[in-house]
């Protein structure tokens, strides 16, 4: 039995390297049918077909058929002239592959002889598949897929002490495509165990796009008490809402035979979020339809009625509205509660591209009314916080959210290889009042706290124009948390920077009313012109000081200001871990207090 090299915070249950290290026969036949069509017939009992991928190649359509029936279709970026990596395809006895390449007919390619195409001579069969879990930018305590591409978190629910997380997953390449719901579980929101794929595409309705799950405690849908009901968008040429149920606690799902359960003439119609609305005794489904959020209602989770739409003239409309959520939240320090409507939007975010906006208001089971229609509110002002949604059925009424830590502007080309993208830290969401308006606060879940081990501390540092620096212990190796309090000079600003031995740096500046994170010199930035930027958040306090918690995990810097009253989440790709902190002002004297650097114990 092969064990994975090291994934510190991630134990692998359903790994890909399952059996003994027997190398399989390489036998297969490949019949060329002319003009980019061929049929591959494996002649081995090996578990995996290892497929050579080239990310810049066009997608080829591969239909897997068995006994003359098509059972699966995949879009694969088969390697033309260079192999970036292999992806494993677990095939069944008797499977054959009909390969049609490429979709975008590329004349030069079509006329090359078969043997000139890299994948044809490089395809392999094996009982094992080796995952490089030590990739340089693989996070250690943020969730990332074992292999392949990930985008939005989906269908999260809590039950019997376990947090379930599903996610948009491409098992067959580290770029967007072939979307299914990957699955992972955790009992503490820090350590994640990979589980087998939960819901996979079907040839009838298409890929499995984003959605949500509920625990059906009263068996209203008739699949059994406590069945897990997942709602997702089936996406091929058109998008429609479907449901699937699980009677084994979310491990395996059966697609409901009455699918689809909600349809529309809109071409962007997706991402069902289902919640229980106590006051009207109804289930509510919130759907993203174009640049609006639609509210639908149901008593049995199967039949849905359209109620209303929200969006026209409200908030930001720089792009498509996606991935909604809706929840009633108490307002801190009061007896009031308000409804918060989450509306992820792409593009149109405050720093360009994808971001999470929200509206605070009232919801009566039919209609959402925004209390501050003239304002746009963002949950996170960094560039890499998208598709944020919460866990259903979380304990103690907690609102625990998680976001995909990337941005559609460059998500497909970030400098990783066998996997692409990770999630934000799970965060506790709450509501606070400031200057007569309501805002969402988002701070790391308290479970994270238990993993912080103090490595060094300084009670007071004086900062001035000449930078003063503090070392980050080398053993932290790019995974650590920094807490401190910045007191800015009167009529001035203070900058705190993370700097590495190669001079790469992340500059964070506080000027009293705003806080910015500049990653333009943070390391590798040239893979996209949208990457090297400065992101800026408003600061909701007037006392010239901010309390910071900065969480670093290899390739991400999450800044939580004033316990989550402002947040900036940004990816970074430094050549070496940032190894010191520098403080400097624009001339006047300033104070840094309660500086604590923590290593993360996992
Ligand atoms: C958001 C999104 C969703 C969609 C999914 C597809 O990032 O575009 O609207 O369901 O990704 O992967």
């Amino acid at each position: 039995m092969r064990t994975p090299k090291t994934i510190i915070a991630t134990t692998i249950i359903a790994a890909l390297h399952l059996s003994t290290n027997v190398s399989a026969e390489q036998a297969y036949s490949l019949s060329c049918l002319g003009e980019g069509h061929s049929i591959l017939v494996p002649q081995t009992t090996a578990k995996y077909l290892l497929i050579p991928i080239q990310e810049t190649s066009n997608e080829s359509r591969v239909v897997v058929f068995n006994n003359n029936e098509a059972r699966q279709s995949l879009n694969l970026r088969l390697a033309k002239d260079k192999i970036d990596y292999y992806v494993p395809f677990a095939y069944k006895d008797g499977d054959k592959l009909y390969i049609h390449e490429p979709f975008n007919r590329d004349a030069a390619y079509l006329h090359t002889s078969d043997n000139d195409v890299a994948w044809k001579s490089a395809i392999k069969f094996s009982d094992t598949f080796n995952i490089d879990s030590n990739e340089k930018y693989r996070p250690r305590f943020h969730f990332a897929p074992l292999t392949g591409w990930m985008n939005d978190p989906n269908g999260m629910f809590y039950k019997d002490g376990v947090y379930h997380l599903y996610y948009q997953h491409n098992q067959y390449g580290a770029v967007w495509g072939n979307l299914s719901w990957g699955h992972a579980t955790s009992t503490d929101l820090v350590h994640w165990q990979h589980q087998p794929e939960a819901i996979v595409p079907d040839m009838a309705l298409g890929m499995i796009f984003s959605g949500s799950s509920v625990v059906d405690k009263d068996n209203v849908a008739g699949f059994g008490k406590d069945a897990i009901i997942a709602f997702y968008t089936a996406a091929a040429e058109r998008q429609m809402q479907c449901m699937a149920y699980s009677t084994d606690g979310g491990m395996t799902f059966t697609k409901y035979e009455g699918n689809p359960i909600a349809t529309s003439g809109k071409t962007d119609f997706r991402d069902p979020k289902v919640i229980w609305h106590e006051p009207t005794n109804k289930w509510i489904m919130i759907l993203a339809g174009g640049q609006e959020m639609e509210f639908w209602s149901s008593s049995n989770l199967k039949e849905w009625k359209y109620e209303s739409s929200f969006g026209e003239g409200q908030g930001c409309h720089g792009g498509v509205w996606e991935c909604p959520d809706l929840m009633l939240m108490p307002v801190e320090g009061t007896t009031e509660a308000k409804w918060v409507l989450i509306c992820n939007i792409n593009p149109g975010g405050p720093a360009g591209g994808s971001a999470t906006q929200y509206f605070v208001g009232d919801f009566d089971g039919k209609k959402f009314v925004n209390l501050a229609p003239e304002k746009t509110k963002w949950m996170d002002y960094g560039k890499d916080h998208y598709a944020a949604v919460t866990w259903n059925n979380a304990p103690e009424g907690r609102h625990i959210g998680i976001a995909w830590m990337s941005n559609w502007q460059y998500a497909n080309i970030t400098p990783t290889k066998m996997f692409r993208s990770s999630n934000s830290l799970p965060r506790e969401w709450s509501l606070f009042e400031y200057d007569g308006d309501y805002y969402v606060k988002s701070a790391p879940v308290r479970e994270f706290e238990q993993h912080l081990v103090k490595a060094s501390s300084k009670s007071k540092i004086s900062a001035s124009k000449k930078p003063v620096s503090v070392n980050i212990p080398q053993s932290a190796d790019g995974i650590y948390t920094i807490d401190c309090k910045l007191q800015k000079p009167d009529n001035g600003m203070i900058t705190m920077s993370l700097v590495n031995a190669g001079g790469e740096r992340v500059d964070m500046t506080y000027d009293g009313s705003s806080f910015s994170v500049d990653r333009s010199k943070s390391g590798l930035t040239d893979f996209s012109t949208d990457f090297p930027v400065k992101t800026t958040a408003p600061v909701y306090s007037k006392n010239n000081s901010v309390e910071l918690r900065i969480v670093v995990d290899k390739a991400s810097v999450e800044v939580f200001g004033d316990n989550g009253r402002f947040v900036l989440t940004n990816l970074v790709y430094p050549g070496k871990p940032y190894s010191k902190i520098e403080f400097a002002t624009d001339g006047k004297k300033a104070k840094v207090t309660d500086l604590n650097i923590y290593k993360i114990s996992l």
Side-chain angles (χ1 to χ4, degrees):
M1 176 109 175
R2 243 198 118 261
T3 45
K5 284 179 202 156
T6 39
I7 296 185
I8 296 175
T10 312
T11 343
I12 294 151
I13 286 193
L16 295 165
H17 18 65
L18 300 163
S19 68
T20 50
N21 224 342
V22 187
S23 107
E25 268 180 77
Q26 301 298 306
Y28 62 94
S29 74
L30 188 64
S31 316
C32 172
L33 310 171
E35 290 210 320
H37 293 252
S38 47
I39 291 193
L40 182 118
V41 182
Q43 288 155 352
T44 153
T45 54
K47 286 206 169 79
Y48 301 108
L49 166 60
L50 304 185
I51 307 167
I53 299 293
Q54 181 176 3
E55 288 190 346
T56 52
S57 169
N58 298 326
E59 283 186 333
S60 293
R61 179 152 196 257
V62 176
V63 176
V64 182
F65 65 105
N66 201 308
N67 200 12
N68 299 295
E69 297 283 346
R71 71 168 185 88
Q72 191 176 353
S73 104
L74 307 169
N75 292 326
L76 298 176
R77 293 180 183 272
L78 294 172
K80 277 192 213 175
D81 41 41
K82 169 179 165 265
I83 298 169
D84 290 329
Y85 49 80
Y86 280 84
V87 294
F89 174 72
Y91 67 91
K92 296 193 173 138
D93 203 20
D95 275 353
K96 298 176 183 176
L97 276 67
Y98 188 115
I99 300 167
H100 179 194
E101 48 176 337
F103 275 157
N104 305 330
R105 298 193 142 234
D106 163 350
Y109 174 50
L110 278 175
H111 294 121
T112 52
S113 80
D114 289 337
N115 291 337
D116 289 339
V117 184
W119 71 266
K120 290 193 177 169
S121 50
I123 212 150
K124 288 192 229 174
F125 290 87
S126 177
D127 280 336
T128 59
F129 181 69
N130 185 5
I131 295 158
D132 179 6
S133 49
N134 273 329
E135 245 193 85
K136 181 168 179 181
Y137 296 120
R138 177 177 274 281
R140 294 297 187 251
F141 58 95
H142 286 73
F143 179 75
L146 206 48
T147 60
W149 161 269
M150 174 174 82
N151 59 296
D152 318 352
N154 295 151
M156 299 107 72
F157 72 93
Y158 171 86
K159 189 169 176 287
D160 302 333
V162 180
Y163 291 89
H164 291 259
L165 166 71
Y166 303 87
Y167 55 93
Q168 289 285 281
H169 189 206
N170 182 4
Q171 302 178 75
Y172 307 114
V175 289
W176 188 89
N178 304 306
L179 277 310
S180 56
W181 278 21
H183 183 201
T185 50
S186 174
T187 51
D188 64 0
L189 294 166
V190 175
H191 297 86
W192 292 98
Q193 295 189 324
H194 293 282
Q195 303 289 359
E197 219 64 10
I199 312 180
V200 297
D202 54 81
M203 304 232 357
L205 301 183
M207 294 191 275
I208 312 298
F209 272 17
S210 291
S212 59
S213 307
V214 298
V215 181
D216 188 5
K217 293 177 183 164
D218 299 324
N219 192 19
V220 299
F223 301 119
K225 184 176 158 25
D226 285 342
I228 309 302
I229 320 280
F231 299 87
Y232 62 90
T233 303
E237 279 182 44
R238 284 293 182 271
Q239 302 181 350
M240 58 196 102
Q241 314 322 318
C242 290
M243 103 189 204
Y245 58 92
S246 169
T247 52
D248 62 2
M251 299 307 291
T252 58
F253 284 85
T254 305
K255 288 174 186 154
Y256 171 51
E257 62 183 21
N259 282 339
I261 52 166
T263 58
S264 161
K266 290 184 177 174
T267 47
D268 284 310
F269 178 61
R270 56 180 180 263
D271 309 340
K273 172 75 186 194
V274 174
I275 60 158
W276 173 244
H277 188 250
E278 190 84 48
T280 55
N281 258 310
K282 288 260 170 75
W283 295 94
I284 302 295
M285 180 186 284
I286 310 104
L287 279 163
Q291 292 199 357
E292 289 183 326
M293 291 306 178
E294 297 187 4
F295 298 94
W296 296 52
S297 70
S298 171
S299 310
N300 63 6
L301 293 167
K302 291 173 172 163
E303 288 142 333
W304 293 90
K305 176 176 166 249
Y306 170 79
E307 298 285 357
S308 71
S309 293
F310 168 86
E312 214 187 311
Q314 313 273 335
C316 175
H317 284 268
V320 180
W321 287 18
E322 300 183 312
C323 302
D325 202 343
L326 181 66
M327 68 220 68
L328 183 64
M329 276 198 204
V331 181
E332 251 181 28
T334 74
T335 50
E336 276 187 300
K338 294 278 164 234
W339 286 90
V340 176
L341 175 64
I342 303 292
C343 168
N344 291 279
I345 172 170
N346 176 61
S354 326
T356 307
Q357 70 173 326
Y358 64 91
F359 305 95
V360 182
D362 296 319
F363 179 66
D364 63 2
K366 290 184 180 295
K367 217 171 168 263
F368 179 85
V369 179
N370 181 10
L371 288 174
E374 73 294 346
K375 252 191 213 165
T376 301
K377 297 172 181 172
W378 301 102
M379 189 171 232
D380 189 305
Y381 285 82
K383 215 165 156 156
D384 300 295
H385 182 277
Y386 196 55
V389 283
T390 56
W391 262 269
N392 171 273
N393 199 40
E396 303 159 35
R398 295 170 74 185
H399 298 286
I400 304 173
I402 194 166
W404 173 48
M405 213 160 35
S406 197
N407 189 311
W408 281 115
Q409 286 181 330
Y410 44 71
N412 275 289
I413 50 167
T414 53
T416 59
K417 192 170 168 190
M418 287 298 292
F419 80 100
R420 203 167 266 122
S421 295
S422 60
N423 282 339
S424 71
L425 271 189
R427 300 171 184 182
E428 194 100 36
W429 295 357
S430 52
L431 258 190
F432 68 98
E433 214 180 329
Y434 178 74
D435 262 358
D437 204 352
Y438 303 98
Y439 298 92
V440 172
K441 192 164 146 180
S442 160
V445 287
R446 58 177 181 251
E447 286 82 348
F448 177 61
E449 204 82 24
Q450 291 151 26
H451 299 273
L452 302 181
V453 177
K454 201 179 277 186
S456 78
S457 100
K458 281 210 160 45
S459 56
K460 194 173 160 202
I461 298 168
S462 300
S464 57
K465 193 158 190 172
K466 186 162 174 281
V468 283
S469 65
V470 176
N471 286 333
I472 297 168
Q474 230 185 349
S475 55
D477 195 29
I479 68 162
Y480 49 85
T481 290
I482 303 167
D483 284 356
C484 68
K485 197 169 169 184
L486 303 183
Q487 177 81 51
K488 83 166 194 78
D490 288 340
N491 306 316
M493 54 180 76
I494 177 164
T495 296
M496 169 176 179
S497 308
L498 303 177
V499 187
N500 71 9
E504 294 164 345
R505 54 196 299 128
V506 178
D507 296 314
M508 299 173 276
T509 301
Y510 169 53
D511 68 5
S513 59
S514 72
F515 190 96
S516 66
V517 178
D518 185 346
R519 67 172 176 196
S520 53
K521 299 189 191 85
S522 59
L524 280 180
T525 60
D526 61 359
F527 54 89
S528 162
T529 51
D530 292 312
F531 193 81
V533 289
K534 176 160 124 181
T535 58
T536 305
V539 172
Y540 302 114
S541 79
K542 293 176 182 142
N543 58 6
N544 279 343
S545 79
V546 281
E547 267 176 44
L548 300 176
R549 164 153 286 180
I550 299 163
V551 181
V552 179
D553 187 2
K554 296 283 175 188
S556 60
V557 177
E558 290 164 280
V559 177
F560 300 92
D562 293 333
N563 197 25
R565 284 162 78 102
F566 65 92
V567 191
L568 299 106
T569 300
N570 285 293
L571 294 172
V572 288
Y573 298 98
K576 287 189 183 129
Y578 305 120
S579 49
K580 67 177 177 181
I581 315 168
E582 274 181 12
F583 296 98
T585 72
D586 53 352
K588 312 237 174 60
K589 283 220 176 344
K591 228 176 27 183
V592 179
T593 51
D594 303 319
L595 172 71
N596 288 306
I597 305 175
Y598 304 93
K599 291 205 259 183
I600 316 290
S601 95
L602 293 164

